[in-house]
Amino acid sequence: FNLLMQVGQSYPLNTGEKAAERTRWYQAAVAVRPTSLPALNNLGTGLSYTNDTDGAIDCFRRVVRIDPGFALGHLN
């Protein structure tokens, strides 16, 4: 899980193809730990940069359902 998160963070966030690659690493991290708030939040952010708005919103809603106090879920 930690390796998946670190590799995901090594890609630029807001550059089309790289954002898609970053998103794939976070998808793998969420598959390993489906309730990880950082992984879900990062996946949502990546999805927003790949123009998957519905997928991003779903991730952020999951974050808020798991922990209503997790500020980044609300912010994003």
Side-chain angles (χ1 to χ4, degrees):
F1 172 81
N2 291 332
L3 180 61
L4 294 169
M5 293 292 288
Q6 288 177 354
V7 173
Q9 291 171 354
S10 71
Y11 288 89
L13 180 62
N14 58 355
T15 56
E17 183 179 311
K18 298 296 182 185
E21 185 65 25
R22 179 182 177 112
T23 300
R24 285 190 282 277
W25 287 102
Y26 289 132
Q27 287 171 325
V30 169
V32 171
R33 289 194 187 161
T35 59
S36 168
L37 300 177
L40 282 165
N41 188 71
N42 291 351
L43 175 57
T45 302
L47 290 170
S48 70
Y49 280 108
T50 59
N51 296 319
D52 183 355
T53 305
D54 291 337
I57 291 170
D58 180 58
C59 285
F60 299 135
R61 284 184 176 158
R62 287 173 60 190
V63 167
V64 171
R65 275 195 304 268
I66 293 167
D67 183 356
F70 191 73
L72 286 176
H74 294 282
L75 177 66
N76 289 323

